[in-house]
Amino acid sequence: AAMPAVGLHGGVHGHIHSAGLTVCPTGDVFMVSFSSTRSTSESSSNTTMVCTRLRFGTDEWDTPDLFVDLADLNEQTGLLWTDGDAIWFFGGGRYFGPGPQSLGNVPFRSCRSTDNGATWSELRAPVVKGTLGLFTAQAINSAFRGPDRTIYFGMDGEGATSFLWASANEGRTWENRLGQTAGRHTTFVTLKDNRILAMGGKSSDIEGHMPKCYSSDWGKTWTAPVKTPFSALGTNQRPTIVRLKSGRLFFAADFQHFTNPPPADIAE
């Protein structure tokens, strides 16, 4: 009752988590997060997706509003990706117990906007070609196109792994590339030699450090993980990596693990 009392939509709950952010073609920053009540878990069926916008040239965000609320289904995590003049949304969910909410074979849902997020296409589950594979229905934070215009985006796998979905036909069908990285919540970026770099995640480490690995076949297989200079991550921590217009890679992550001590060579 408190949220409507202060003018917020009733679907905006007290817990906001796993945001996806993107810069729109207009320069606005658009954000979608999932929201749950304090009295229920993130896995409950009353979660929602909420959104807000930082309009170009302003320093205050718009009032948060409802983005998606599927009746009696769990909404979980949001990935936003600006692809030319379009914005893509990928979102997941957790399914539990008996009844209609137990849709454990739906790995994600997606929609698309061509007007900077003002309106969106119908939210749809994917048509999967080939092996569905093992997954945790949570999109992560990386989406990109390969040289042949194939769309790729990251999703949590089983346990301390992540993997890539791929679509060669603008999202009409999707393929699980099946190769698994060395961490949950891995962040991905393409390299100039057409390899993919996969940085870390959580629930995995090499001597307390974040692992990384590479793929030369667009996510079908990954190299053995190697140690990076960065600390391994834990709960509520996700790394991110993007290529800047300069061509340089920009990487960001929490400096230390959420609960564990840092590795010995990180003294700060």
Side-chain angles (χ1 to χ4, degrees), residues 37-163:
T37 62
R38 295 289 185 181
S39 60
T40 60
S41 75
E42 295 178 352
S43 301
S44 68
S45 60
N46 69 344
T47 59
T48 61
M49 287 284 186
V50 299
C51 62
T52 183
R53 182 186 299 267
L54 180 65
R55 298 181 185 273
F56 182 74
T58 67
D59 56 7
E60 291 188 6
W61 291 80
D62 286 0
T63 301
D65 204 352
L66 183 69
F67 183 69
V68 170
D69 183 14
L70 300 176
D72 298 322
L73 291 177
N74 178 264
E75 286 85 32
Q76 191 83 198
T77 73
L79 165 60
L80 291 171
W81 172 48
T82 297
D83 175 36
D85 293 332
I87 301 172
W88 291 76
F89 166 80
F90 301 96
R94 297 174 182 169
Y95 307 100
F96 54 94
Q101 71 268 35
S102 296
L103 303 177
N105 64 338
V106 178
F108 64 90
R109 311 178 189 95
S110 64
C111 57
R112 189 169 175 266
S113 173
T114 56
D115 56 9
N116 296 284
T119 62
W120 294 82
S121 63
E122 182 182 11
L123 188 67
R124 293 187 173 185
V127 176
V128 176
K129 299 295 186 180
T131 303
L132 181 60
L134 299 174
F135 62 86
T136 301
Q138 296 190 116
I140 317 173
N141 64 17
S142 302
F144 53 91
R145 286 186 184 268
D148 62 353
R149 302 293 293 166
T150 294
I151 296 171
Y152 298 89
F153 78 91
M155 176 171 282
D156 285 337
E158 184 181 42
T161 65
S162 303
F163 68 95

Side-chain angles (χ1 to χ4, degrees), residues 182-187 197-213 225-234 237-241 251-257 263 265-266:
R184 184 177 174 87
H185 302 345
T186 297
T187 188
L197 168 63
M199 290 289 291
K202 75 172 188 178
S203 305
S204 62
D205 74 282
I206 300 175
E207 299 173 355
H209 288 262
M210 179 185 299
K212 68 176 179 178
C213 55
V226 296
K227 184 170 65 175
T228 70
F230 309 106
S231 176
L233 300 183
Q237 297 178 312
R238 295 189 178 197
T240 186
I241 189 168
F251 172 77
D254 292 85
F255 188 66
Q256 295 182 359
H257 191 280
D265 58 346
I266 299 180

